[in-house]
mmCIF file of all heavy atoms in Angstrom:
data_model
loop_
_atom_site.group_PDB
_atom_site.id
_atom_site.type_symbol
_atom_site.label_atom_id
_atom_site.label_comp_id
_atom_site.label_asym_id
_atom_site.label_seq_id
_atom_site.Cartn_x
_atom_site.Cartn_y
_atom_site.Cartn_z
ATOM 1 N N VAL A 1 7.100 -11.518 -1.477
ATOM 2 C CA VAL A 1 7.456 -10.161 -1.923
ATOM 3 C C VAL A 1 6.738 -9.889 -3.198
ATOM 4 O O VAL A 1 6.352 -10.688 -3.951
ATOM 5 C CB VAL A 1 8.996 -10.089 -2.166
ATOM 6 C CG1 VAL A 1 9.453 -10.987 -3.357
ATOM 7 C CG2 VAL A 1 9.444 -8.628 -2.400
ATOM 8 N N GLY A 2 6.439 -8.555 -3.351
ATOM 9 C CA GLY A 2 5.706 -8.081 -4.543
ATOM 10 C C GLY A 2 5.253 -6.681 -4.289
ATOM 11 O O GLY A 2 5.349 -6.127 -3.204
ATOM 12 N N PRO A 3 4.692 -6.031 -5.329
ATOM 13 C CA PRO A 3 4.214 -4.671 -5.188
ATOM 14 C C PRO A 3 2.982 -4.578 -4.322
ATOM 15 O O PRO A 3 2.347 -5.665 -4.036
ATOM 16 C CB PRO A 3 3.963 -4.241 -6.636
ATOM 17 C CG PRO A 3 3.670 -5.528 -7.334
ATOM 18 C CD PRO A 3 4.534 -6.572 -6.680
ATOM 19 N N SER A 4 2.566 -3.361 -3.941
ATOM 20 C CA SER A 4 1.382 -3.208 -3.144
ATOM 21 C C SER A 4 0.193 -3.781 -3.881
ATOM 22 O O SER A 4 0.041 -3.606 -5.087
ATOM 23 C CB SER A 4 1.154 -1.768 -2.837
ATOM 24 O OG SER A 4 2.182 -1.207 -2.092
ATOM 25 N N GLY A 5 -0.701 -4.483 -3.159
ATOM 26 C CA GLY A 5 -1.913 -5.046 -3.753
ATOM 27 C C GLY A 5 -1.711 -6.387 -4.399
ATOM 28 O O GLY A 5 -2.608 -6.858 -5.090
ATOM 29 N N CYS A 6 -0.560 -7.025 -4.234
ATOM 30 C CA CYS A 6 -0.293 -8.270 -4.947
ATOM 31 C C CYS A 6 -0.888 -9.475 -4.218
ATOM 32 O O CYS A 6 -0.901 -10.605 -4.748
ATOM 33 C CB CYS A 6 1.164 -8.510 -5.213
ATOM 34 S SG CYS A 6 2.161 -8.820 -3.732
ATOM 35 N N GLY A 7 -1.312 -9.310 -2.969
ATOM 36 C CA GLY A 7 -1.933 -10.402 -2.242
ATOM 37 C C GLY A 7 -1.033 -11.066 -1.198
ATOM 38 O O GLY A 7 -1.396 -12.044 -0.521
ATOM 39 N N LYS A 8 0.165 -10.526 -0.966
ATOM 40 C CA LYS A 8 1.134 -11.153 -0.076
ATOM 41 C C LYS A 8 0.683 -11.103 1.415
ATOM 42 O O LYS A 8 0.686 -12.104 2.098
ATOM 43 C CB LYS A 8 2.561 -10.546 -0.234
ATOM 44 C CG LYS A 8 2.613 -9.065 -0.066
ATOM 45 C CD LYS A 8 3.980 -8.565 -0.483
ATOM 46 C CE LYS A 8 4.105 -7.041 -0.195
ATOM 47 N NZ LYS A 8 3.227 -6.218 -1.035
ATOM 48 N N SER A 9 0.216 -9.904 1.839
ATOM 49 C CA SER A 9 -0.261 -9.808 3.253
ATOM 50 C C SER A 9 -1.558 -10.593 3.450
ATOM 51 O O SER A 9 -1.798 -11.180 4.504
ATOM 52 C CB SER A 9 -0.466 -8.326 3.621
ATOM 53 O OG SER A 9 0.771 -7.673 3.764
ATOM 54 N N THR A 10 -2.429 -10.618 2.445
ATOM 55 C CA THR A 10 -3.667 -11.326 2.529
ATOM 56 C C THR A 10 -3.361 -12.837 2.737
ATOM 57 O O THR A 10 -4.010 -13.525 3.527
ATOM 58 C CB THR A 10 -4.519 -11.177 1.271
ATOM 59 O OG1 THR A 10 -4.809 -9.741 1.105
ATOM 60 C CG2 THR A 10 -5.813 -11.951 1.335
ATOM 61 N N THR A 11 -2.370 -13.351 1.953
ATOM 62 C CA THR A 11 -1.990 -14.769 2.119
ATOM 63 C C THR A 11 -1.463 -15.007 3.517
ATOM 64 O O THR A 11 -1.800 -16.023 4.113
ATOM 65 C CB THR A 11 -0.931 -15.137 1.063
ATOM 66 O OG1 THR A 11 -1.410 -14.810 -0.265
ATOM 67 C CG2 THR A 11 -0.554 -16.578 1.119
ATOM 68 N N LEU A 12 -0.628 -14.119 4.045
ATOM 69 C CA LEU A 12 -0.096 -14.282 5.371
ATOM 70 C C LEU A 12 -1.204 -14.323 6.395
ATOM 71 O O LEU A 12 -1.209 -15.122 7.314
ATOM 72 C CB LEU A 12 0.902 -13.167 5.680
ATOM 73 C CG LEU A 12 1.730 -13.366 6.993
ATOM 74 C CD1 LEU A 12 2.876 -14.324 6.711
ATOM 75 C CD2 LEU A 12 2.275 -12.057 7.458
ATOM 76 N N ARG A 13 -2.162 -13.443 6.238
ATOM 77 C CA ARG A 13 -3.265 -13.343 7.193
ATOM 78 C C ARG A 13 -4.185 -14.576 7.120
ATOM 79 O O ARG A 13 -4.788 -14.941 8.103
ATOM 80 C CB ARG A 13 -4.059 -12.058 6.904
ATOM 81 C CG ARG A 13 -3.308 -10.786 7.339
ATOM 82 C CD ARG A 13 -4.011 -9.484 6.868
ATOM 83 N NE ARG A 13 -5.274 -9.392 7.549
ATOM 84 C CZ ARG A 13 -5.433 -8.791 8.786
ATOM 85 N NH1 ARG A 13 -4.354 -8.377 9.429
ATOM 86 N NH2 ARG A 13 -6.615 -8.694 9.322
ATOM 87 N N MET A 14 -4.239 -15.215 5.963
ATOM 88 C CA MET A 14 -5.010 -16.458 5.852
ATOM 89 C C MET A 14 -4.291 -17.576 6.634
ATOM 90 O O MET A 14 -4.902 -18.421 7.249
ATOM 91 C CB MET A 14 -5.252 -16.858 4.418
ATOM 92 C CG MET A 14 -6.315 -16.003 3.696
ATOM 93 S SD MET A 14 -6.839 -16.663 2.090
ATOM 94 C CE MET A 14 -5.446 -16.249 1.105
ATOM 95 N N ILE A 15 -2.948 -17.576 6.582
ATOM 96 C CA ILE A 15 -2.204 -18.542 7.348
ATOM 97 C C ILE A 15 -2.440 -18.354 8.861
ATOM 98 O O ILE A 15 -2.589 -19.296 9.621
ATOM 99 C CB ILE A 15 -0.669 -18.459 7.026
ATOM 100 C CG1 ILE A 15 -0.434 -18.806 5.590
ATOM 101 C CG2 ILE A 15 0.134 -19.372 7.965
ATOM 102 C CD1 ILE A 15 1.003 -18.598 5.163
ATOM 103 N N ALA A 16 -2.466 -17.066 9.213
ATOM 104 C CA ALA A 16 -2.674 -16.712 10.623
ATOM 105 C C ALA A 16 -4.092 -16.905 11.117
ATOM 106 O O ALA A 16 -4.295 -17.018 12.334
ATOM 107 C CB ALA A 16 -2.254 -15.209 10.828
ATOM 108 N N GLY A 17 -5.066 -16.936 10.207
ATOM 109 C CA GLY A 17 -6.432 -17.077 10.633
ATOM 110 C C GLY A 17 -7.141 -15.751 10.792
ATOM 111 O O GLY A 17 -8.284 -15.666 11.250
ATOM 112 N N LEU A 18 -6.448 -14.635 10.359
ATOM 113 C CA LEU A 18 -7.049 -13.322 10.478
ATOM 114 C C LEU A 18 -7.918 -12.994 9.264
ATOM 115 O O LEU A 18 -8.637 -12.017 9.231
ATOM 116 C CB LEU A 18 -5.940 -12.278 10.611
ATOM 117 C CG LEU A 18 -5.011 -12.510 11.838
ATOM 118 C CD1 LEU A 18 -3.875 -11.450 11.822
ATOM 119 C CD2 LEU A 18 -5.840 -12.350 13.118
ATOM 120 N N GLU A 19 -7.769 -13.756 8.183
ATOM 121 C CA GLU A 19 -8.608 -13.615 6.989
ATOM 122 C C GLU A 19 -9.244 -14.977 6.695
ATOM 123 O O GLU A 19 -8.591 -16.029 6.777
ATOM 124 C CB GLU A 19 -7.795 -13.184 5.751
ATOM 125 C CG GLU A 19 -7.331 -11.787 5.754
ATOM 126 C CD GLU A 19 -8.385 -10.814 5.254
ATOM 127 O OE1 GLU A 19 -9.535 -11.253 4.935
ATOM 128 O OE2 GLU A 19 -8.089 -9.613 5.203
ATOM 129 N N GLU A 20 -10.549 -14.987 6.412
ATOM 130 C CA GLU A 20 -11.199 -16.251 6.065
ATOM 131 C C GLU A 20 -10.729 -16.741 4.695
ATOM 132 O O GLU A 20 -10.541 -15.972 3.768
ATOM 133 C CB GLU A 20 -12.741 -16.054 6.064
ATOM 134 C CG GLU A 20 -13.495 -17.279 5.880
ATOM 135 C CD GLU A 20 -15.006 -17.071 5.895
ATOM 136 O OE1 GLU A 20 -15.442 -15.948 6.354
ATOM 137 O OE2 GLU A 20 -15.777 -17.917 5.431
ATOM 138 N N ILE A 21 -10.516 -18.052 4.611
ATOM 139 C CA ILE A 21 -10.095 -18.639 3.297
ATOM 140 C C ILE A 21 -11.328 -18.936 2.467
ATOM 141 O O ILE A 21 -12.238 -19.650 2.909
ATOM 142 C CB ILE A 21 -9.320 -19.956 3.569
ATOM 143 C CG1 ILE A 21 -8.066 -19.685 4.402
ATOM 144 C CG2 ILE A 21 -8.919 -20.634 2.293
ATOM 145 C CD1 ILE A 21 -7.443 -20.879 5.006
ATOM 146 N N SER A 22 -11.356 -18.425 1.214
ATOM 147 C CA SER A 22 -12.528 -18.683 0.377
ATOM 148 C C SER A 22 -12.552 -20.049 -0.209
ATOM 149 O O SER A 22 -13.592 -20.624 -0.418
ATOM 150 C CB SER A 22 -12.528 -17.593 -0.757
ATOM 151 O OG SER A 22 -12.507 -16.295 -0.291
ATOM 152 N N ASP A 23 -11.339 -20.582 -0.493
ATOM 153 C CA ASP A 23 -11.254 -21.942 -1.066
ATOM 154 C C ASP A 23 -9.850 -22.469 -0.801
ATOM 155 O O ASP A 23 -8.894 -21.694 -0.609
ATOM 156 C CB ASP A 23 -11.543 -21.916 -2.589
ATOM 157 C CG ASP A 23 -11.907 -23.266 -3.125
ATOM 158 O OD1 ASP A 23 -12.036 -24.232 -2.295
ATOM 159 O OD2 ASP A 23 -11.993 -23.406 -4.350
ATOM 160 N N GLY A 24 -9.703 -23.802 -0.782
ATOM 161 C CA GLY A 24 -8.410 -24.419 -0.594
ATOM 162 C C GLY A 24 -8.173 -24.744 0.882
ATOM 163 O O GLY A 24 -9.047 -24.508 1.749
ATOM 164 N N THR A 25 -6.959 -25.246 1.209
ATOM 165 C CA THR A 25 -6.665 -25.585 2.575
ATOM 166 C C THR A 25 -5.308 -25.022 3.011
ATOM 167 O O THR A 25 -4.372 -24.859 2.189
ATOM 168 C CB THR A 25 -6.601 -27.106 2.727
ATOM 169 O OG1 THR A 25 -5.622 -27.648 1.840
ATOM 170 C CG2 THR A 25 -7.976 -27.764 2.462
#
């Protein structure tokens, strides 16, 4: 949870594989 633009959906999409992960696992 957080305001718009905080990165929450981006994080979810990285878990899903819909966004490429720049670093980390």
Side-chain angles (χ1 to χ4, degrees):
V1 66
S4 297
C6 71
K8 55 189 186 295
S9 289
T10 302
T11 305
L12 190 80
R13 290 172 66 83
M14 285 192 286
I15 296 172
L18 301 175
E19 288 277 2
E20 186 178 344
I21 299 165
S22 304
D23 198 7
T25 59

